[in-house]
Structures are given as C-alpha cells and as structure tokens.
Amino acid sequence: MPLAIEPLSKSAFEPFGEVIEIEGAETRLINEGFATRFHALARVNVSRGRGRPIVSLFRAIQRPMPIKITMLERHPLGSQAFFPLNPSEWLIVVAEGGDAPDLATLRCFRARGDQGVNYARGIWHYPVLILAPWQDFLVVDRDGKGNNLEEHTFAAGSEVELDIGPDDIQ
Amino acid sequence: MPLAIEPLSKSAFEPFGEVIEIEGAETRLINEGFATRFHALARVNVSRGRGRPIVSLFRAIQRPMPIKITMLERHPLGSQAFFPLNPSEWLIVVAEGGDAPDLATLRCFRARGDQGVNYARGIWHYPVLILAPWQDFLVVDRDGKGNNLEEHTFAAGSEVELDIGPDDIQ
C-alpha cells in the first residue's frame, strides 16, 4: 500500500518538530508599523556537544518517480530547520522511533511553499524531497564536532512507496 | 547629498557581517546527489546573556518615498540574519561606530532577491527596507532576557536621504 500524503499542520507535525508558518503565530508590529514579526516559530537546539547554529542554503533536485522510501536519517546532536525559497509544495517524511525508526509510524506530509519545518533533535526523517524540478531552501542547523548524522536503511522488501500522482508534480 | 546605493557583496559587507548567497560558498553534494549544501553561510551568534537562537518570519511593507534615514538600531546581544522569501531586490543601511553610529561611515547596499545578510552582533543598521510593495523574510536572531535593542536617533538636520530613483522601485 502506498503511503498517503497528509497536509502539513502544526498539530499533525507536533511529535516531530515545529511548523514554520505565519498562521497561528505570535505577531508583533515593529519598525513604526512597517513590519510584522511572526515570533519564534522555531527554536534552534544545537548546543549539545558544543554545537553552533549556522545558516546554509540547500538546492534540491527532483528524484525520479515513483518515490520509494528505503532509508531514514536523523541528527542526534541538533534540530534542523528547512524553509523553501521557491513557493512550490514539497514533502516531508518522518517516523517515530529510538535507535531505529518504527516503520509502522511512517508519515508523509505535503508542505505548502510558504511552510517550513524544524525537525526536533533526533527525529528520523527522509532527506529533502521536492515536487518541482528543483527548489532552494534556507537551512538552520548545527556545525561542530561529533557525529550528527545517523542513517537507517530498511530491510529488503520494507521500502515504502509514496502515493504521489501525476497531479502532485509541481 | 543623497546616499549612493552600492551592490551588496561579501567583500563590501565584511565590516558589518555576512552575506548569505550561493556565490562563492563551500559546496557539499549530499542526499545521493539530489541536493547541494552551500555550507555555513552565516554563523548565528546569540549566546551572550544566555540567549537562544530562534527562527521567525517578518512581513515588511514599503515605506513612503523618498526614504530618509533618521535613526539606526543595533542588537548588542546577538547577530540577526535576514533572507528574502520573495525574489525582489531590497536595501540594507549600516554604519560603523560604537556607542553611537558614525554617520560618516553610513552605507546603503542593494541586495538581490536571492541574497540575505547576517548583521554581526552590535552593528548599527536601519530596520528592514524594501523596494517592493511588501516582502517576507526569514529571520534568525536571539530570544532571551536582557536588552537586545538600542536605537539612536540622529540630531535634527542630520537625516540622510537615500538615492532611490523611480526605476529602483520593484
């Protein structure tokens, strides 16, 4: 059975991290009224092991369809935030679990082009996954010593196909 | 004399902070070749006074033209990064100086829509300044106790007009 794709929302994503979006934010009118601040939508948590927060850019290209999830990764030392810089919809695949992901909890969310996410430290997730030919992201994560990348490849026959139809491609 | 507007570049902005852009970045091919990471374009420096890094969104609206710079602000406890989420050009006004800005060093940079900046801790700058009717930004700065905003209003007659022509409006 292909994995269904759910719309991304703060409540649905709560076990995995934060959704970075204007909707529902604490707002502050600043700069003599010429700007609104949507405050603290994500909290960067990278200090473990003397990590330091950094801002990077990612340029992603589309993987061949159909998308089969054969592995997940996680960052044991820090959170990782993604925000799209082109307004296409994109996908987020996550699972609960400890030393290994629990594939029974695998979920796929479709983000709008004006929604980002901040994976909480240690959350199993698939690498950046897009629906357009290419898409750039601003990324806030950790620099510093220590192993901050763990990968888990699924057992043979356990791969999960995403339920992406032709209309989903951007 | 109106203040001339210079193109934003890493070398020109070096006294004030970092330019967040793909050009000239350290690149890392990741995700089986399906993404490129342009690594550590800005270093978030907000730990003074037990500050914590946060991600926020700003929505700016255009100020009435002509733009007169009558004040600057600075954040004594942390860096502040801005990256545009709509690809319009935008403006950055900064000055050197310690307890007060040195107006003889005032400079205005025009950023492309794919360039962000990270103001270094304590750098005098004007609030977000755009050339389109409105523009959203992703902002990485500091949450926590302590006064992280200082403002300096210029003496009467010291305001500086920016040299923005009709063709500059986005």
Side-chain angles (χ1 to χ4, degrees):
Chain A
M1 279 283 288
L3 184 64
I5 300 178
E6 310 170 53
L8 180 67
S9 69
K10 280 192 170 74
S11 57
F13 197 67
E14 197 278 333
F16 310 106
E18 296 156 304
V19 177
I20 303 169
E21 64 179 353
I22 279 178
E23 260 178 84
E26 174 194 338
T27 63
R28 300 179 180 180
L29 200 61
I30 58 173
N31 301 352
E32 300 173 278
F34 290 104
T36 303
R37 180 183 177 109
F38 303 93
H39 182 66
L41 304 175
R43 296 181 182 279
V44 180
N45 169 20
V46 298
S47 59
R48 187 164 294 222
R50 295 190 165 212
R52 294 174 302 276
I54 54 171
V55 177
S56 302
L57 295 173
F58 278 28
R59 174 158 292 175
I61 58 175
Q62 197 180 89
R63 291 175 183 257
M65 302 287 168
I67 302 285
K68 289 188 183 183
I69 305 299
T70 60
M71 59 80 71
L72 294 174
E73 64 180 38
R74 66 172 184 169
H75 306 298
L77 300 179
S79 61
Q80 186 178 44
F82 284 83
F83 200 94
L85 302 177
N86 317 77
S88 300
E89 295 179 351
W90 57 291
L91 298 178
I92 294 142
V93 175
V94 285
E96 300 178 37
D99 289 344
D102 174 1
L103 295 194
T105 67
L106 197 71
R107 293 173 77 175
C108 180
F109 297 101
R110 180 201 311 269
R112 297 190 313 261
D114 62 354
Q115 287 179 311
V117 297
N118 188 32
Y119 297 112
R121 184 177 66 78
I123 288 295
W124 290 104
H125 63 278
Y126 194 72
V128 61
L129 201 48
I130 62 174
L131 294 167
W134 66 276
Q135 194 168 14
D136 286 347
F137 292 83
L138 191 135
V139 173
V140 183
D141 61 3
R142 179 187 183 275
D143 200 17
K145 292 189 179 169
N147 176 28
N148 193 24
L149 176 62
E150 294 176 3
E151 292 178 308
H152 179 90
T153 301
F154 299 177
S158 299
E159 70 269 15
V160 177
E161 186 174 322
L162 301 185
D163 189 15
I164 302 174
D167 293 348
D168 292 319
I169 309 301
Q170 300 274 298
Chain B
M1 281 281 289
L3 183 64
I5 301 177
E6 310 169 53
L8 180 67
S9 69
K10 280 191 170 72
S11 56
F13 197 67
E14 196 279 335
F16 310 107
E18 296 156 303
V19 176
I20 302 169
E21 64 179 352
I22 279 178
E23 259 177 85
E26 174 194 339
T27 63
R28 300 180 179 179
L29 199 61
I30 59 172
N31 301 353
E32 301 173 278
F34 291 105
T36 302
R37 180 183 177 109
F38 303 93
H39 182 66
L41 305 175
R43 296 181 182 278
V44 179
N45 169 20
V46 298
S47 59
R48 189 165 292 224
R50 296 193 165 207
R52 293 174 302 275
I54 54 171
V55 177
S56 301
L57 295 172
F58 278 27
R59 174 158 292 175
I61 57 174
Q62 196 179 89
R63 290 174 183 258
M65 301 287 168
I67 302 285
K68 290 187 182 183
I69 305 299
T70 60
M71 60 78 72
L72 294 174
E73 64 180 38
R74 67 172 183 169
H75 306 298
L77 300 180
S79 61
Q80 186 178 44
F82 284 82
F83 200 94
L85 301 177
N86 318 77
S88 301
E89 294 179 352
W90 56 292
L91 298 178
I92 294 143
V93 175
V94 285
E96 300 178 36
D99 288 344
D102 174 2
L103 294 195
T105 67
L106 197 70
R107 293 173 76 176
C108 180
F109 296 101
R110 180 201 311 268
R112 298 189 312 263
D114 62 354
Q115 288 178 312
V117 298
N118 188 32
Y119 297 112
R121 185 177 66 77
I123 288 293
W124 290 103
H125 62 278
Y126 194 74
V128 60
L129 200 48
I130 62 173
L131 293 167
W134 65 275
Q135 195 168 12
D136 285 348
F137 292 83
L138 191 136
V139 174
V140 184
D141 61 2
R142 178 188 183 276
D143 199 17
K145 292 188 177 169
N147 175 28
N148 194 25
L149 177 62
E150 293 175 4
E151 293 177 309
H152 180 89
T153 300
F154 299 177
S158 300
E159 70 269 15
V160 176
E161 187 173 322
L162 301 185
D163 190 15
I164 302 174
D167 293 347
D168 292 318
I169 308 302
Q170 302 273 299

